């Protein structure tokens, strides 16, 4: 199936609202047009090609002479031009869903991991709002399906999402200390973990006895956890053996939500704080 036919088929058979379909068609068509103009194969490309498209077509007026070279440029964009950052994240969501559809149809092996191209900026300035029961189910389905075809760090990403649903805030999660993680047996013969979430002053804070879903995610993650740098004890390890940056959980949550037609254009969006305010099995109040 050629890229333009895929676009038509995806939008015609999906569940997106008409307004979202129109917006996504515009974004993906822009990308495919850029691919044709530059000789880029839309089924075989790198993240650098998506960055170049976004830079040339949309971001150059906002970044000035600064190259679009990664998280630092996105941080500047989010701080100085938040509306441009929100529009940029919407484009990345559109491409994420388009290539997820391509992977579902076995046109490509896996959807590209575009996490590093997200600013992670909330699309709504209101206070966090919890997910409804059905939205939470949709997110759990999306997180459960988040695998190696989405990201080489899929086990870490999934664990981050589940830790947020424990009620921890993003700033606590990125500072979780392996030295305060303890395995706890359960009456049913299984096991979970107890963890202490550090407060903003790095004191050992609130105790969390984790849900078995989160415990299973930790059990899967630990054997694949990257070797930490000397003196680093974070549970969540990123590049170079150091902890991840505080913005990372929000970027990951938005990328996971972008794979769900139910959640991709939710307003306000699914963010790390929204998950932390939702929780696993409590009944959300009023969405």
């Amino acid at each position: 199936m050629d890229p333009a036919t895929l676009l038509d088929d995806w939008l015609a058979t999906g569940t997106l609202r008409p307004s979202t379909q129109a917006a996504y068609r515009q974004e993906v068509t822009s990308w495919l047009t850029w691919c044709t103009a530059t000789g880029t194969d839309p089924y075989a490309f790198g993240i650098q090609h998506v960055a170049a498209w976004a830079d040339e077509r949309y971001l150059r007026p906002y970044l000035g002479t600064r190259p679009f070279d990664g998280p630092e440029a996105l941080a500047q964009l989010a701080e100085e031009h938040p509306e441009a950052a929100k529009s940029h994240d919407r484009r990345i969501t559109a491409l994420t869903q388009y290539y997820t559809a391509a992977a579902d149809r076995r046109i490509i092996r896996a959807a590209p991991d575009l996490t590093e191209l997200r600013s992670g900026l909330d699309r709504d300035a209101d206070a966090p709002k919890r997910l409804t029961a059905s939205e939470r189910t949709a997110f759990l389905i999306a997180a459960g399906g988040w695998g190696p075809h989405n990201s080489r760090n899929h086990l870490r990403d999934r664990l981050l999402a589940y830790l947020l649903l424990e009620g921890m805030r993003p700033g606590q999660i990125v500072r979780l200390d392996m030295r305060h993680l303890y395995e706890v047996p359960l009456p049913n013969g299984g096991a979970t973990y107890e963890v202490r979430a550090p407060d903003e002053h790095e004191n050992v804070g609130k105790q969390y006895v984790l849900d078995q879903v989160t415990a299973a995610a930790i059990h899967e993650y630990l054997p694949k956890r990257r070797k930490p740098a000397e003196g680093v004890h974070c549970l969540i390890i990123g590049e170079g053996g150091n902890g991840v940056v505080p913005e990372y959980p929000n970027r990951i949550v938005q990328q996971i939500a972008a794979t769900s037609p139910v959640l991709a254009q939710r307003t306000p969006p699914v963010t790390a704080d929204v998950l932390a305010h939702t929780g696993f099995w409590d009944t959300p109040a009023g969405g």
Side-chain angles (χ1 to χ4, degrees):
M1 188 182 296
D2 68 83
T5 302
L6 169 62
L7 176 59
D8 291 338
D9 182 65
W10 164 51
L11 294 177
T13 59
T15 58
L16 297 172
R17 297 190 303 269
S19 59
T20 303
Q21 289 185 38
Y24 281 11
R25 180 180 292 279
Q26 179 179 347
E27 306 294 9
V28 176
T29 299
S30 171
W31 159 246
L32 295 179
T33 301
W34 182 90
C35 286
T36 299
T38 58
T40 303
D41 184 345
Y43 287 153
F45 61 93
I47 191 173
Q48 71 274 16
H49 296 104
V50 179
W53 161 68
D55 188 359
E56 293 173 16
R57 290 290 177 94
Y58 302 104
L59 302 183
R60 185 52 30 210
Y62 303 102
L63 293 176
T65 59
R66 175 168 193 154
F68 182 31
D69 55 3
E72 294 79 8
L74 286 170
Q76 176 183 320
L77 184 72
E79 181 178 355
E80 298 180 2
H81 304 284
E83 291 306 315
K86 293 173 186 176
S87 296
H88 169 75
D89 283 355
R90 185 194 64 227
R91 292 183 197 102
I92 300 304
T93 294
L95 289 190
T96 295
Q97 290 221 6
Y98 174 72
Y99 283 110
T100 297
D104 289 344
R105 290 161 174 76
R106 302 185 183 278
I107 297 171
I108 59 175
R109 184 183 62 82
D113 179 5
L114 302 179
T115 305
E116 294 304 318
L117 291 183
R118 285 185 174 276
S119 74
L121 191 69
D122 291 355
R123 294 195 304 271
D124 193 296
D126 293 343
K129 297 179 181 178
R130 296 194 285 180
L131 301 180
T132 65
S134 60
E135 288 173 336
R136 179 175 50 195
T137 298
F139 185 84
L140 285 169
I141 291 170
W146 187 258
H149 57 289
N150 299 110
S151 168
R152 65 182 183 275
N153 298 309
H154 61 285
L155 296 177
R156 183 184 71 191
D157 298 343
R158 196 185 305 152
L159 174 58
L160 276 169
Y162 294 157
L163 287 169
L164 287 162
L165 285 167
E166 296 284 354
M168 295 184 208
R169 305 303 293 274
Q172 293 177 305
I173 291 171
V174 301
R175 300 197 309 275
L176 285 177
D177 193 314
M178 283 288 296
R179 295 169 297 180
H180 300 300
L181 180 69
Y182 309 98
E183 193 165 7
V184 179
L186 294 173
N188 64 5
T192 186
Y193 290 92
E194 174 189 295
V195 66
R196 294 277 184 172
D199 64 20
E200 61 185 11
H201 303 294
E202 303 300 331
N203 298 314
V204 176
K206 180 180 177 180
Q207 173 184 315
Y208 289 83
V209 178
L210 302 180
D211 188 275
Q212 285 187 273
V213 171
T214 311
I218 290 178
H219 186 73
E220 280 191 283
Y221 164 72
L222 288 180
K224 303 294 184 181
R225 178 175 174 261
R226 293 183 179 184
K227 182 179 179 181
E230 185 177 355
V232 174
H233 302 288
C234 298
L235 171 63
I236 306 298
I237 297 293
E239 301 294 333
N242 295 305
V244 296
V245 297
E247 296 81 11
Y248 187 77
N250 206 39
R251 293 207 302 265
I252 282 298
V253 165
Q254 291 189 14
Q255 188 76 352
I256 292 174
T259 66
S260 169
V262 175
L263 302 173
Q265 286 299 302
R266 181 185 187 270
T267 302
V270 183
T271 64
D273 276 340
V274 167
L275 286 189
H277 281 75
T278 298
F280 261 113
W281 310 120
D282 62 308
T283 301

